[in-house]
Amino acid sequence: MTSMACLALATRRSASRLLQSGSSRYATTTSHAPCHRPSRRSGSTFTAQWRTAATTTTQGKRAFSLSAAVHEKRYTVDHEWVELSADGQTATIGISTYAASQLGDVVYVELPTLDTTAQAGDVIGAVESVKSAEDLMSPMSGTVVDTNQQLEQTPALINRSPEADGWIAKVQLGRREGTADDEARELAMTEMQALMDGEAYQRFVGEEEEKEHDGEGKH
């Protein structure tokens, strides 16, 4: 299927959200039907960990002051990355270098809608390549305040610079409806602390690749 066909498919996403299961979210597919969207892992263990961590507060301390580690780039089990701004007010989101390499040539990016309020694990956008299409999930709770408009004209920027120029969205911490700013920011910081740092993520990727390799060997 051509890239133009992939783009056309993206415009009909509302009519084609039925997903097919796959052993790994970003595993390379040998299917002859590109733009196939594998199923997402519903109710994942890591999402449950987000929820648990978000409801646990250390006695006498605000969660957003517990560790400077949240200012380091963090990663999810769904291969998104998130990096907190220096002032701790916003977080930038994208897909990891590993995810971009597994997707192949990106042909379309469904950017999140501005002012969308999301919780950790909510789908806020999508990335489509000539091989597959994957949802973009918010790593933490907050409100979308900016998107990378360059991706509309140059989606391949994600392939060239997935963890820098190919960022997808920025989320404002502490702007959830019905929640005080400090409380919501504390929630988002706690969710970020539950994510993997760079070293842990590399180990996770290695384990995923090993499982995939073992699975292929059994066929």
Side-chain angles (χ1 to χ4, degrees), residues 109-130:
V109 180
E110 180 184 335
L111 295 173
T113 302
L114 291 177
D115 296 324
T116 295
T117 298
Q119 295 184 10
D122 285 352
V123 175
I124 57 174
V127 178
E128 297 188 359
S129 73
V130 295

Side-chain angles (χ1 to χ4, degrees), residues 55-106:
T55 56
T56 304
T57 305
T58 300
Q59 185 69 29
K61 294 183 179 180
R62 306 299 291 179
F64 55 79
S65 63
L66 289 178
S67 174
V70 294
H71 286 275
E72 300 175 357
K73 186 175 288 185
R74 315 290 284 187
Y75 297 85
T76 76
V77 294
D78 291 305
H79 304 288
E80 285 98 8
W81 60 266
V82 56
E83 190 168 28
L84 194 65
S85 62
D87 62 8
Q89 298 298 308
T90 60
T92 304
I93 301 169
I95 68 170
S96 70
T97 300
Y98 170 77
S101 67
Q102 293 299 301
L103 277 171
D105 295 336
V106 174

Side-chain angles (χ1 to χ4, degrees), residues 126-201:
V127 178
E128 297 188 359
S129 73
V130 295
K131 295 191 295 185
S132 64
E134 296 298 336
D135 292 329
L136 175 71
M137 301 174 72
S138 180
M140 88 294 293
S141 302
T143 302
V144 178
V145 293
D146 193 13
T147 58
N148 189 350
Q149 297 298 310
Q150 292 185 66
L151 297 178
E152 290 189 336
Q153 299 298 322
T154 315
L157 189 59
I158 286 182
N159 296 115
R160 295 199 296 266
S161 182
E163 297 193 29
D165 295 339
W167 64 275
I168 297 175
K170 294 185 179 182
V171 172
Q172 175 76 49
L173 280 60
R175 288 183 56 188
R176 297 193 310 130
E177 293 181 4
T179 308
D181 275 3
D182 283 350
E183 181 183 347
R185 188 174 296 111
E186 177 179 354
L187 171 64
M189 289 290 191
T190 304
E191 290 165 342
M192 287 187 65
Q193 286 183 317
L195 302 179
M196 294 175 281
D197 61 17
E199 184 177 345
Y201 177 68

